[in-house]
Every structure is written in structure tokens, then in C-alpha cells.
Amino acid sequence: MGTIERLRQELKTAALRHDLCGPWQRMLDRAADKATLVQMYMRGIDFCFGWDFPTVEYIERHFKGECERYGLHVNETFRSRNERKVALVGRCDATLDYDRYEVAQVFVKHDSHARLDVRGHSLVTVDCFDASRLDIRADEGSRVTVYRYGDARVTCAAQPGTTVEVVDKHKNGYYD
């Protein structure tokens, strides 16, 4: 059995424990490469984050070096600019800059720390989980909406004319 076949089988077996639906099972069966698997993770991030699936260790062992170009970062220190969809898992330390009317989704999980600098009328939505930390600096008419789960910590410095809203979900994750 080749590497991709083994990964597909391992992921499918683990996902079935969480009742992965038929259409996603078929997509997994057809995944031709690691890039497709990472893209599926990002599209189905609610399932993956909701069940902590696959583990940080699994992602790091099998996808590190491939997943970053699709927005999935694991145990990494980095800076990005105007990345449309980004997920931080494990222990990431990231500075995320948004400007020029950008629209983005950010997901921060586990023990990750994100510094979010939003300006230029950008619109960013963030979901924070577990013991993650999010520090926001917003100016120039930008808008940030944060959905806080678990013990995630959020701090904010917003200039006049910006909107930052933190919504406490009062649960630990999507499926609690």
C-alpha cells in the first residue's frame, strides 16, 4: 500500500469514529495526494476542529511542509499578509496582517498565539479555541468578529471608527 492510500485509510478509519458522512467518505476515497487531503481539512475545518481530528502530532508527522501553502500551520512561528483562510494548530506563534479591503477567516486552536493587525477596511472573522491567545490591533475602518470557545484569551486595541466584537460561545468547541 502506497503512502497516500495508507493516509486515506488511516484518516477514514479515524473519521468514521466521529460519524463522517457518506459524501466526505467518498471524497476521502478519491483523494489523490496530500494536497487534496489538506484542502479537505480546511474545507471541513468545523469537523476537524470539533473532533480535534486528526491529532496535531499526526498533522505534523504527515503534512508539515505541505500544509502551509493551503493555510494550515502546525507548531510554527511565522508572519503572513492577507492570507484568506488560516488555521493555527498546536503551538503556533503567528503575526497575521490584513489590509486593503481584505476578507479573511482565521482559526486559532490549542496553545497557539496569534497577533492580528487589521487595517484598511478589512473584515476578519476569528474562531479561538482551547488555551489559545489572540491579540488584535484594529484601525482604518476595519471590522473583526471573534468567536471565543473554551479558555481562549482575547485582547484588543481598536482605534475609533473600527468595530471589534467578541462573542463568547460559552462552550468548548463547535460540538459541545
Side-chain angles (χ1 to χ4, degrees), residues 51-153:
W51 297 112
D52 215 5
F53 166 83
T55 66
V56 172
E57 296 78 15
Y58 192 91
I59 296 168
E60 187 168 42
R61 182 171 54 252
H62 297 290
F63 298 97
K64 186 95 169 148
E66 178 83 28
C67 59
E68 297 81 6
R69 71 174 140 174
Y70 300 102
L72 176 57
H73 300 270
V74 57
N75 296 332
E76 180 181 358
T77 298
F78 70 100
R79 181 178 201 122
S80 73
R81 183 164 184 251
N82 297 327
E83 194 168 2
R84 292 284 174 113
K85 189 170 185 179
V86 59
L88 313 177
V89 299
R91 288 184 177 272
C92 287
D93 187 10
T95 300
L96 309 173
D97 297 310
Y98 293 94
D99 61 6
R100 299 175 303 141
Y101 295 91
E102 289 296 327
V103 177
Q105 290 179 291
V106 176
F107 302 86
V108 186
K109 190 153 175 64
H110 303 114
D111 295 309
S112 291
H113 176 212
R115 283 169 298 290
L116 189 65
D117 187 0
V118 184
R119 60 192 179 285
H121 301 280
S122 294
L123 170 64
V124 180
T125 302
V126 185
D127 288 14
C128 294
F129 301 86
D130 308 321
S132 65
R133 290 182 303 141
L134 175 66
D135 300 319
I136 303 165
R137 193 182 90 186
D139 58 20
E140 298 176 24
S142 59
R143 180 176 175 83
V144 180
T145 303
V146 178
Y147 298 99
R148 191 177 82 80
Y149 297 85
D151 295 323
R153 291 170 287 164

Side-chain angles (χ1 to χ4, degrees), residues 35-49:
T36 302
L37 293 171
V38 173
Q39 290 168 335
M40 286 180 67
Y41 181 99
M42 294 301 285
R43 277 187 55 211
I45 201 160
D46 57 333
F47 179 87
C48 294
F49 271 30

